[in-house]
Amino acid sequence: MARDGDLPTIFNPKRVRAPSVIITSEEVVESERSVGDGDRDRPNGPPPTPLSPRAPLTPQASVCSAPPLTTQPSLQQAYSESAASSQDEERQLRDKKCPRSCCSKFAKKIYYGICVTLVLTLSLVTSTHCIKHMYLEEYPPTINGLVYSTESSLVVNNFTSRMLTHHQYNAPFFTAWFCTNWLILFYPLYMVVMLIHNKCKSANDVVVDAFSDFKEKGFTFARFISRCGLFCLLWVVTIYMYTYSLKILLSTDVLALFATNVSCIYLLSWVILHEQFVGVRIVATIMCDTGIALLAYMDGITGSSTLGGVVLAAFAAAGFAIFKVLFRKVMGDVNSGQRALFFSILGVVNASLLWPLCLALYLTGSEMLPSHRMPWIYLLIASIAMLIFHLVFQFGNVITYNIFISLALITAVPVSGALDVLLYGVQFEGMNLAGLILIGVGFFLVMFPDNWPDYIMRLLRWSRSRQRGNNGAGRNRDAMDYRTGYIRSHLRSPSGRVR
């Protein structure tokens, strides 16, 4: 007999195995009869084994109703598992061999990033130049259906002379308000994409998910609307300063000044969000500020409105940076649905609360609109292009890296410069060109990663090892002897002993 501490072996079977076949009651009766017949034939045979009382057999039990055996998997299941594991191993080996292939996840993100950069660049340049064109183009007014020239000397009374002066578009706040209204389409477009992508969810489920996520963060309805109102005011003021600066400066200068928001974002993130300090980004911020100063004084100080335009564009960049950092601070980490809902509510608040201000500015004469020949085409193109820009800017990180999104801010500058040269014959030289170059260099320095010295050290080590390989391994006296682990030297033998 085996003791309690013995292990179950082939000579000491202690393990009780479950039967592989379940016997029905009819088979039990037949087996008892066969056992009885066998006992008559063999009187010295083994006694019949009684059935266990723990598992009573019922007439309804059968082999077909028995549960499947899990202790011994079938051959088909084992074959499928082995085939799946082999496919996973082959896929892992393939990914290790070609991690930068044209079909890898990294390569797809690179391709998507290039497309995102192109879309952002084209939309930003299109909206900026359309707004600039509305300020430059003249719109002759009409009185009683007749078109009068702006150089006409026909003046009937003060009212007629006042009508003849309204030949240009001068409504930066109305432009900012009209373009901001299109933010209402953020959440409807997001819902359409979600319903196409995930057909199991309904529109009500998508809306409830977004509101429930804000509720879990502790936002009540009043608190959420008040936050949206404050962000709406900041957003409209930022777009207003951007559109007003286009009335004074060239489109290229405004885009270059707006690109300095990356340095403002870093400074605010360092102070408010307590992100990592990077010395090279401080240098980049100084270079961006120097470029802004050069653009501010490129036409002198007295008798020029350039300084005011540069200040407005720089404040627009700072306002956009404040909006982005405060959004992360107040709202926290939000998903795509929450972000889309926030911007849609921002557009609703803008359309419902700020229209009296637009009307008051128009009635007081602070802003002038060519009512008879309103440039609706350019205004609609600018609004749609700005909507596309903000849509891709906010949700582009879903399909690609953030660096491609930020890169579009600086790639729009040379594209806009080429358009200024072709359309208006602008020549970039002197302090203007120097300021643009300094802002571009500062932008790329800000985009340096946090651990950029590690990349430089790796590059230096790689170039040094390649140079040593070109000089020849036989002439390298410091090569490692992998047999002993010692460095080859004239003072030691290959075994490591001192000569």
Side-chain angles (χ1 to χ4, degrees):
M1 295 297 292
R3 294 186 297 271
D4 295 336
D6 294 340
L7 295 175
T9 59
I10 191 171
F11 300 106
N12 185 22
K14 195 175 181 179
R15 186 182 304 170
V16 179
R17 296 185 179 179
S20 58
V21 179
I22 298 178
I23 305 173
T24 60
S25 58
E26 297 177 357
E27 294 175 351
V28 170
V29 176
E30 294 178 358
S31 61
E32 290 178 354
R33 293 177 181 176
S34 61
V35 168
D37 298 338
D39 292 339
R40 298 189 196 97
D41 297 338
R42 294 183 299 170
N44 296 328
T49 304
L51 295 176
S52 175
R54 297 182 181 177
L57 297 175
T58 58
Q60 290 81 8
S62 63
V63 177
C64 298
S65 61
L69 297 177
T70 57
T71 56
Q72 297 179 356
S74 61
L75 294 176
Q76 184 177 1
Q77 183 179 0
Y79 177 77
S80 61
E81 292 178 356
S82 62
S85 61
S86 62
Q87 290 178 359
D88 293 339
E89 292 177 356
E90 290 178 0
R91 191 180 299 108
Q92 293 177 0
L93 291 174
R94 194 186 307 114
D95 294 339
K96 290 181 179 180
K97 289 181 180 179
C98 51
R100 298 293 188 268
S101 65
C102 61
C103 298
S104 63
K105 186 177 180 181
F106 176 80
K108 288 181 180 179
K109 281 199 171 185
I110 295 295
Y111 301 149
Y112 293 152
I114 295 173
C115 296
V116 166
T117 303
L118 291 177
V119 171
L120 288 173
T121 302
L122 293 177
S123 59
L124 183 58
V125 171
T126 301
S127 62
T128 303
H129 276 268
C130 284
I131 296 173
K132 182 66 177 178
H133 182 76
M134 288 191 296
Y135 287 125
L136 296 177
E137 187 176 354
E138 294 186 357
Y139 305 92
T142 60
I143 300 177
N144 296 328
L146 299 176
V147 179
Y148 286 82
S149 174
T150 57
E151 298 178 356
S152 177
S153 59
L154 179 61
V155 178
V156 179
N157 50 27
N158 293 333
F159 177 76
T160 306
S161 62
R162 183 183 175 186
M163 288 294 296
L164 290 176
T165 57
H166 289 188
H167 64 278
Q168 285 188 344
Y169 183 88
N170 184 17
F173 187 84
F174 173 77
T175 306
W177 176 81
F178 187 82
C179 294
T180 307
N181 288 338
W182 289 72
L183 297 179
I184 300 174
L185 299 177
F186 256 71
Y187 199 69
L189 292 175
Y190 170 78
M191 287 184 62
V192 170
V193 173
M194 286 298 298
L195 293 177
I196 294 175
H197 180 69
N198 191 359
K199 298 181 180 180
C200 298
K201 282 188 176 183
S202 61
N204 295 330
D205 296 336
V206 177
V207 175
V208 169
D209 290 342
F211 279 101
S212 61
D213 292 337
F214 278 118
K215 189 175 181 180
E216 290 177 357
K217 291 183 177 180
F219 283 97
T220 60
F221 182 77
R223 183 183 177 188
F224 181 73
I225 295 298
S226 62
R227 296 293 188 275
C228 290
L230 293 176
F231 279 109
C232 176
L233 182 62
L234 179 60
W235 181 275
V236 174
V237 171
T238 300
I239 302 299
Y240 170 73
M241 291 187 293
Y242 183 83
T243 54
Y244 196 95
S245 63
L246 285 172
K247 181 183 175 182
I248 304 172
L249 302 175
L250 294 173
S251 302
T252 305
D253 297 337
V254 174
L255 287 173
L257 291 168
F258 185 73
T260 58
N261 67 81
V262 293
S263 61
C264 298
I265 289 174
Y266 166 69
L267 292 177
L268 293 174
S269 301
W270 176 40
V271 175
I272 299 176
L273 303 179
H274 306 289
E275 291 189 356
Q276 181 179 354
F277 173 79
V278 183
V280 70
R281 293 180 181 174
I282 300 297
V283 178
T285 304
I286 296 173
M287 295 184 69
C288 289
D289 294 340
T290 306
I292 293 173
L294 290 176
L295 291 178
Y297 297 106
M298 62 182 176
D299 293 334
I301 302 176
T302 59
S304 177
S305 59
T306 304
L307 179 60
V310 172
V311 170
L312 284 174
F315 280 174
F320 186 78
I322 293 171
F323 180 89
K324 192 171 183 179
V325 174
L326 285 183
F327 183 83
R328 291 177 57 188
K329 181 69 175 180
V330 175
M331 296 297 179
D333 295 332
V334 296
N335 53 27
S336 301
Q338 294 173 335
R339 191 181 298 271
L341 179 63
F342 172 81
F343 277 95
S344 290
I345 295 179
L346 189 146
V348 171
V349 172
N350 171 77
S352 58
L353 297 181
L354 297 181
W355 67 268
L357 186 57
C358 294
L359 184 60
L361 292 174
Y362 176 74
L363 294 177
T364 56
S366 300
E367 292 190 354
M368 294 181 293
L369 296 172
S371 57
H372 297 282
R373 294 187 61 184
M374 186 71 180
W376 289 112
I377 297 178
Y378 295 105
L379 191 59
L380 289 175
I381 293 175
S383 302
I384 295 173
M386 192 172 292
L387 174 65
I388 295 173
F389 172 79
H390 289 298
L391 277 171
V392 180
F393 192 86
Q394 296 296 331
F395 303 117
N397 57 355
V398 177
I399 60 176
T400 185
Y401 302 104
N402 288 325
I403 188 172
F404 290 101
I405 300 173
S406 301
L407 195 63
L409 297 176
I410 199 63
T411 55
V413 176
V415 176
S416 177
L419 288 178
D420 282 336
V421 172
L422 294 175
L423 297 177
Y424 310 112
V426 179
Q427 294 182 358
F428 297 97
E429 56 185 5
M431 297 177 67
N432 189 2
L433 182 61
L436 295 178
I437 292 174
L438 281 176
I439 289 176
V441 174
F443 182 91
F444 284 107
L445 289 178
V446 172
M447 300 308 296
F448 269 33
D450 297 340
N451 55 343
W452 64 274
D454 297 338
Y455 290 99
I456 295 179
M457 291 301 298
R458 291 177 185 177
L459 182 62
L460 292 176
R461 290 173 183 173
W462 176 78
S463 60
R464 190 179 302 172
S465 62
R466 188 170 183 179
Q467 184 178 3
R468 288 178 179 177
N470 293 333
N471 292 335
R475 290 175 292 175
N476 189 3
R477 297 181 179 179
D478 297 334
M480 178 72 71
D481 189 357
Y482 293 100
R483 298 174 299 175
T484 59
Y486 290 97
I487 299 176
R488 292 181 182 178
S489 175
H490 292 287
L491 301 179
R492 292 182 180 272
S493 62
S495 61
R497 296 181 179 180
V498 180
R499 293 177 178 175

